[in-house]
Amino acid sequence: MIPVYNHGEAVGAVVNAVRSHGLPCVLVDDGSEPGCAGVLDALAAKDSAGIQLVRLPQNEGKGGAMMAGFRAARAAGFSHALQIDADGQHDTGDIPRFLELAAGAPEKLICGTPIYDESVPKGRLYGRYATHIWVWINTLSFAIRDSMCGFRVYPLAPTLALIDSVRIGKRMDFDVEVVVRLFWRGMGIVNQPTRVRYPTDGVSHFDVLWDNVRISGMHARLFFGMLARLPLLLWRKVAA
């Protein structure tokens, strides 16, 4: 599953790499501009048996696109969805390893743990650590090594049960919030190191001001949610 918002120059190579592993692909067009939308149309037309194009009429954010993709994948009969970003930053050569881990632990969330090269913006790299610390506080655990990487394998049934019952942020806060809430619900986490580079087409949709505001608000909400779950989280630690 690939959420796409104006990554027309990079997404074709990502789709081809995913398809080379024999995986069907759900492309979610998150209200892209006409040029990118045309690229997605061409990809879907060229490989109609292997690519399903889901089109959102307006941009809903990465989380909104992911939710639409989850529902489309489940409706198509799939039990799991491998998420990968459209900009080419993730190493598609690691896909078999992610699938192997998911097959061995189908009830768990497989989370990419980035290994960065020199292309990573230092401000983004250091900023991630603040989120890591909040996630460790809000889960009372180091089980989630990286909560922001968009290379994952989700079990669809429990993930959809979560997003259908709880309001989750639809933009760049989604990746963090969904993994914390799945952990709260008892889902196990498997962390898989994977190489990450920034990005092939030079397009980033991270809004430094507003996405950081959203993420800060999300951490605050999760903190109070953690307090409400504190006895359960502490009991889990003792039982483990």
Side-chain angles (χ1 to χ4, degrees), residues 1 22 27 38 50 90 92 105 112 146-147 168 190 201 203-204 207 211 217:
M1 187 170 66
L27 285 174
H90 296 138
T92 56
D146 187 288
S147 61
I168 295 179
V190 177
D201 62 1
V203 177
S204 172
D207 186 313
D211 280 323

Side-chain angles (χ1 to χ4, degrees), residues 139-140 226-227 229-240:
T139 59
L140 300 185
M226 179 274 291
L227 292 179
R229 295 167 175 83
L230 188 58
L232 175 61
L233 294 173
L234 289 173
W235 178 83
R236 272 197 213 162
K237 291 180 72 68
V238 172

